[in-house]
Amino acid sequence: MVKTNLEGNILDYLDWRGDITFSQDPVNMVDGLIFSTLAYLNLPVSDGAGLPLHEIKKEWSKLPEGDQYRGIDIMEKSCRMLAESIADYPRYRDLTVTDYVELSSEEQQMQFSAATFLLPENNLFVAYRGTDNTIVGWKEDFNMAFIAGTPAQLEATRYLKMIAEKYPDCSIYIGGHSKGGNLAVWAAGYLPDDINNRIIRVFNNDGPGFIEDFTDSPQFKAVKDKIFSYVPESSIIGVLMGGCEYRIIKSSSVSLLQHDPFSWKVLGNSFIYDSSRSLLSRRISRKCNEIIRTMNKEEYAEFIEKIYDDIRASDADTLDDLQGYLLKKVLSLPGRIKDLK
């Protein structure tokens, strides 16, 4: 395979960088996005036992196709390509993956998954999954706008503490895409000082922000300088609520489809940056953030519950079932939502 240091995406990065081990060159932002994306796979690692990635790939390939992937549709094809090829590269093939966990509860309104990748030189990477294709996963995302500590955020903290205690000699990278980026930041912000000192970087890839209860806290301020946040030009998810300073990434896609991390442009071991977000991103995020700010917590919770009840009444189980239903429902609601059109 011919390697080139030309503009591409994370799959092209593997062709260029894949024969260089982490001992030779440590984790960078593109690696952080790859680990975060691998978290969308259903990884066949049970009971905390670890397996090298090339063995996991073999076991993953045996799963029924419907059980292999847990993300949103726009990423599925590329995620499958990543899963099929990742074990071909020396940089990744022998990494041990351990402590994979997947939890979902409609009663608790929680969707959570994480995995840990053991790296050379006593380092590890904790990767949190973003929102999957379930309605309960979507519901928890919106709960983050008025709940300080959703079930997934609390579980993310518990998981990170468990990993830190299990591997006391390891330095720690943390990351996630979409909601996974939010969980990575939240979990890092609630670690004891002795564990916090072991964190190298936190990669927040287009993850939604936080309510002020968290961003004003000493816990967040203690980890803030270790957070590296990235959003695409037309980001909507990653600019909600705020809290983390971010860099803007160029994307090969358009509009909301830029949330797909495989559309983010890469050059060498870095992203290709842009100077400003798109007009569409600024307009939509301004409207969404204004909705959040102009409602108190009780009003916002009632607003979200109304949408959720209507969705459940429609017998929809996944975001694919909804298609344009959600957008039409939001725009048809009266009161402040109508005023903000």
Side-chain angles (χ1 to χ4, degrees):
M1 192 173 293
V2 178
K3 295 177 175 62
T4 178
N5 191 7
L6 298 177
E7 176 182 311
N9 66 5
I10 55 179
L11 295 175
D12 299 303
Y13 164 82
L14 287 173
D15 285 344
W16 172 70
R17 201 77 167 186
D19 60 347
I20 302 174
T21 68
F22 285 104
S23 294
Q24 296 171 300
D25 190 72
V27 173
N28 59 60
M29 64 191 71
V30 186
D31 294 310
L33 184 59
I34 290 174
F35 284 122
S36 300
T37 305
L38 288 172
Y40 285 105
L41 301 176
N42 181 12
L43 300 172
V45 184
S46 60
D47 301 324
L51 283 175
L53 196 55
H54 65 269
E55 291 294 335
I56 287 179
K57 188 254 181 174
K58 293 178 184 177
E59 297 302 315
W60 179 85
S61 298
K62 298 175 185 177
L63 295 174
E65 186 172 306
D67 292 336
Q68 292 177 335
Y69 174 73
R70 295 286 193 256
I72 55 179
D73 280 358
I74 60 172
M75 297 169 50
E76 182 170 2
K77 182 179 178 180
S78 296
C79 268
R80 290 186 180 280
M81 292 174 62
L82 179 64
E84 292 290 348
S85 65
I86 191 75
D88 296 336
Y89 298 97
R91 188 166 179 83
Y92 280 88
R93 63 172 280 107
D94 295 322
L95 300 182
T96 296
V97 187
T98 186
D99 295 283
Y100 172 74
V101 60
E102 182 179 37
L103 304 172
S104 182
S105 170
E106 185 168 349
E107 181 180 358
Q108 297 181 50
Q109 297 182 0
M110 175 182 70
Q111 171 254 317
F112 174 81
S113 182
T116 297
F117 299 81
L118 302 184
L119 309 174
E121 315 297 333
N122 281 338
N123 295 316
L124 60 82
F125 194 109
V126 172
Y128 292 107
R129 179 180 296 167
T131 308
D132 63 15
N133 206 29
T134 61
I135 299 301
V136 67
W138 167 86
K139 175 62 162 54
E140 187 176 37
D141 288 355
F142 280 83
N143 287 348
M144 289 178 173
F146 68 95
I147 296 176
T150 66
Q153 288 173 331
L154 298 178
E155 188 62 32
T157 302
R158 187 206 65 78
Y159 180 89
L160 186 54
K161 287 180 179 178
M162 180 272 292
I163 292 296
E165 291 169 0
K166 183 175 180 179
Y167 300 97
D169 297 325
C170 284
S171 298
I172 303 169
Y173 295 92
I174 315 168
H177 169 260
S178 193
K179 183 175 79 172
N182 175 286
L183 299 182
V185 173
W186 179 277
Y190 281 98
L191 290 176
D193 289 343
D194 59 329
I195 300 178
N196 185 288
N197 293 334
R198 292 162 52 193
I199 294 176
I200 302 175
R201 286 189 177 185
V202 182
F203 296 100
N204 175 17
N205 299 295
D206 208 25
F210 305 88
I211 61 176
E212 292 179 357
D213 298 31
F214 176 67
T215 57
D216 289 342
S217 69
Q219 293 93 334
F220 175 78
K221 292 175 181 177
V223 77
K224 188 175 181 180
D225 291 341
K226 297 181 180 182
I227 300 169
F228 291 77
S229 294
Y230 307 98
V231 303
E233 302 158 273
S234 293
S235 175
I236 303 300
I237 305 297
V239 293
L240 289 176
M241 295 183 287
C244 295
E245 296 182 4
Y246 53 77
R247 296 201 68 177
I248 302 164
I249 310 301
K250 292 195 176 209
S251 170
S252 60
S253 194
V254 296
S255 190
L256 298 176
L257 297 179
Q258 292 187 4
H259 191 54
D260 177 3
F262 291 92
S263 77
W264 295 11
K265 292 186 177 183
V266 172
L267 181 63
N269 62 355
S270 178
F271 298 127
I272 300 177
Y273 299 111
D274 206 343
S275 58
S276 63
R277 287 163 42 216
S278 70
L279 178 61
L280 175 67
S281 171
R282 297 197 300 271
R283 284 179 173 175
I284 295 179
S285 64
R286 184 167 60 245
K287 174 181 280 192
C288 291
N289 285 326
E290 192 170 351
I291 289 171
I292 294 171
R293 286 193 300 268
T294 56
M295 292 183 181
N296 61 39
K297 292 181 180 180
E298 291 74 20
E299 290 172 326
Y300 183 83
E302 183 179 352
F303 163 61
I304 293 301
E305 286 298 331
K306 176 174 176 54
I307 296 177
Y308 188 63
D309 289 345
D310 287 348
I311 290 171
R312 298 300 295 144
S314 72
D315 295 324
D317 293 316
T318 69
L319 294 182
D320 292 339
D321 296 333
L322 295 180
Q323 296 184 2
Y325 174 84
L326 180 59
L327 179 59
K328 293 177 182 177
K329 197 67 182 177
V330 170
L331 294 178
S332 69
L333 288 172
R336 295 179 184 177
I337 304 303
K338 181 178 179 181
D339 294 339
L340 288 170
K341 289 182 187 179

